[in-house]
Amino acid sequence: RYPNNFTAQIVVAKLDLKFDRLETATNAASRAVEIAPNSQTARDILIVALSQSGNNKALLKALKSAHKRFPGTPRYLSGLIESTIREGNQIEAGKLIVTALGKPQDDPTQLRNLAVLSLQINRPALAKKALLKLNQLPDQHDLAQLLLGRLAAQSDDFQQAIRHFNNVAINSEHYAQARILMAAAYAQSDDMTGALQSLDIALSRPIDEADKQRLTLAKAGLLQSQGLDHEALTTLNEAVTIWPNAHDLQLQRAMILLKFNRSIEAEEVLRQVIKEDPENATALNALGYTLADENRDLNEAEKMIRKALVNDPENAAYLDSLGWVQYRLGQFEEAEKTLQQAYKLVPDPEVGAHWGTVLWHLDKHEEAKAVWKRALLLRGDHPVLTQTLQKYAPDLMNDTETPQNQNQP
């Protein structure tokens, strides 16, 4: 009714956008841009409508127009680069980034975006240039050093990464993360002494408890990665005497106790976590799976696992637990469907072992063997898969050449 009324077009565009009437929202916003080309509000609505509609070519055109009209507005430049990448034109995207970095930049968010977009088009040198500019801005040094360290680590330049991580100040909110990443860089350089020392130095600093807990978790994980499970458990046991209500530490401790077949102690830890945090999905799933694996309290186990799945219904680990408890309950058909879904989401040798077991009990022996063969190719030495094959199909262990034994004489 009011084709030349800017306010009317904006009202229509906003309402249509709110109710997902994207075509009419686009038309109204386009008309508003025609009426008032200097209105960023009209252009923003048009860009959102086109983005939600999935019309990237029209979106690209709108972003080019907006960027030409407002060259100093960061969101139009970032959107234009992203849209250009989606069109598959990485060369043009690179040119836009080079041009942007050739100009003075004082927006830290824009510089971070330019670094991320540079990595999307496999231009790490451009990403580094953006981060070095970020490093020069007030109050951005620590974040820039953290990101530069990550960039160096991605390029396997671990020594350079360590230097960047070491430049993050103790009083920075990024300090703990930098130290964790530094430890990882040392570990990837086969320097476990340096890795552990970097964490121990950080733990001795006057930093807040939440960061100390994160660092302790990282230390325990590092020890476990080297097969030092007893040392990891000692670290966690000491930590929970200081922070008994730190659920992440307690959960990691429970996982190691289960690895040592100390399931009664692990169960006590998990039940305490659930008592303090009834919605803790990780604890619910861990205890539910433990009960199912030990073939006891199966109804309680199923309730716990289903509760964990409520907020994360496509979690492959939780679905694996549900499938396993269904198997224990004799619900083979349901278990088959659940485990197939879990394996489809995340192909995993343990899930494959469980799925094959259910198929075997449904007298689908050839299907079971096919699943186990695929699982072997993922990781032939997985303990659950190995135990399963020893019980049901020991011939597969000799007949299937896995990645672990391909290079063995």
Side-chain angles (χ1 to χ4, degrees):
R1 293 178 59 186
Y2 305 101
N4 296 317
N5 187 306
F6 172 79
T7 301
Q9 297 300 327
I10 289 294
V11 169
V12 170
K14 286 182 175 180
L15 284 172
D16 285 342
L17 187 60
K18 181 179 179 179
F19 292 103
D20 293 324
R21 296 191 290 262
L22 299 178
E23 183 177 354
T24 51
T26 299
N27 292 337
S30 297
R31 182 58 188 147
V33 171
E34 292 173 4
I35 297 169
N38 287 329
S39 169
Q40 290 194 358
T41 298
R43 291 182 182 274
D44 289 345
I45 296 172
L46 176 60
I47 288 166
V48 170
L50 290 171
S51 178
Q52 291 185 5
S53 69
N55 188 344
N56 193 61
K57 290 188 181 298
L59 174 61
L60 185 59
K61 182 179 179 181
L63 285 164
K64 284 181 178 178
S65 176
H67 177 57
K68 184 178 181 180
R69 178 73 63 162
F70 304 101
T73 302
R75 65 180 179 275
Y76 295 149
L77 175 60
S78 294
L80 177 58
I81 296 170
E82 290 176 14
S83 188
T84 302
I85 292 172
R86 280 196 296 272
E87 282 296 295
N89 195 343
Q90 295 191 357
I91 294 175
E92 181 61 27
K95 289 179 180 178
L96 288 167
I97 296 171
V98 169
T99 300
L101 291 176
K103 299 175 181 178
Q105 295 284 347
D106 59 3
D107 184 340
T109 301
Q110 176 72 338
L111 285 169
R112 292 198 299 271
N113 287 341
L114 291 172
V116 170
L117 292 167
S118 297
L119 292 175
Q120 286 183 18
I121 60 172
N122 197 27
R123 298 284 295 275
L126 282 181
K128 184 176 181 179
K129 187 174 181 178
L131 294 175
L132 288 172
K133 281 181 172 285
L134 179 67
N135 190 60
Q136 296 171 1
L137 297 182
D139 301 321
Q140 297 298 317
H141 169 79
D142 292 320
L143 176 59
Q145 290 297 315
L146 178 72
L147 297 176
L148 283 164
R150 283 180 166 176
L151 183 61
Q154 288 175 11
S155 302
D156 294 337
D157 188 351
F158 300 119
Q159 294 308 310
Q160 184 63 41
I162 289 167
R163 285 191 287 272
H164 283 303
F165 294 138
N166 200 41
N167 286 334
V168 177
I170 296 172
N171 60 352
S172 167
E173 63 179 302
H174 306 294
Y175 178 71
Q177 184 64 17
R179 282 285 163 169
I180 291 169
L181 292 172
M182 184 192 296
Y186 272 119
Q188 289 175 289
S189 303
D190 296 324
D191 183 357
M192 288 305 301
T193 300
L196 291 170
Q197 284 180 348
S198 69
L199 294 173
D200 286 335
I201 289 171
L203 284 165
S204 70
R205 303 297 191 195
I207 58 178
D208 67 48
E209 290 190 351
D211 282 342
K212 286 198 173 187
Q213 290 171 20
R214 290 175 61 204
L215 289 160
T216 302
L217 269 179
K219 182 178 179 180
L222 187 63
L223 289 166
Q224 282 190 274
S225 72
Q226 300 301 306
L228 302 173
D229 293 319
H230 287 284
E231 290 81 354
L233 183 58
T234 298
T235 296
L236 292 167
N237 285 340
E238 292 172 354
V240 297
T241 62
I242 303 170
W243 306 297
N245 298 321
H247 293 159
D248 287 343
L249 295 172
Q250 294 285 18
L251 287 171
Q252 185 71 3
R253 178 167 164 255
M255 295 304 101
I256 299 177
L257 288 169
L258 288 172
K259 192 172 183 179
F260 289 146
N261 294 320
R262 293 162 62 177
S263 60
I264 301 301
E265 294 172 73
E267 182 179 344
E268 291 176 359
V269 173
L270 293 170
R271 288 193 183 279
Q272 184 61 35
V273 171
I274 293 169
K275 181 180 178 181
E276 295 170 4
D277 181 8
E279 303 301 319
N280 192 309
T282 303
L284 288 165
N285 176 68
L287 181 53
Y289 178 80
T290 299
L291 295 175
D293 202 44
E294 296 183 355
N295 206 14
R296 59 189 177 90
D297 300 324
L298 297 179
N299 290 326
E300 181 188 17
E302 183 180 11
K303 288 179 182 178
M304 289 181 173
I305 296 165
R306 288 192 182 279
K307 188 173 181 179
L309 278 163
V310 168
N311 293 323
D312 196 358
E314 293 197 349
N315 185 303
Y318 300 172
L319 287 169
D320 175 53
S321 298
L322 178 61
W324 199 234
V325 78
Q326 287 170 331
Y327 160 71
R328 292 297 198 191
L329 288 165
Q331 301 167 1
F332 296 153
E333 289 80 7
E334 292 88 341
E336 179 188 4
K337 293 175 183 177
T338 304
L339 291 166
Q340 184 177 16
Q341 182 184 356
Y343 194 86
K344 184 177 180 180
L345 287 168
V346 179
D348 177 88
E350 185 167 349
V351 179
H354 291 161
W355 183 19
T357 299
V358 172
L359 290 168
W360 191 272
H361 284 272
L362 287 167
D363 291 328
K364 299 179 180 180
H365 293 183
E366 293 307 313
E367 290 182 44
K369 287 184 177 182
V371 169
W372 287 330
K373 285 180 180 179
R374 294 202 299 273
L376 278 167
L377 294 174
L378 295 170
R379 183 182 163 191
D381 63 347
H382 191 284
V384 174
L385 179 60
T386 300
Q387 292 170 11
T388 301
L389 294 180
Q390 286 174 342
K391 182 175 182 179
Y392 296 107
D395 55 304
L396 292 184
M397 299 181 68
N398 298 321
D399 293 346
T400 304
E401 188 175 352
T402 70
Q404 283 70 32
N405 61 30
Q406 283 178 351
N407 297 321
Q408 293 179 2

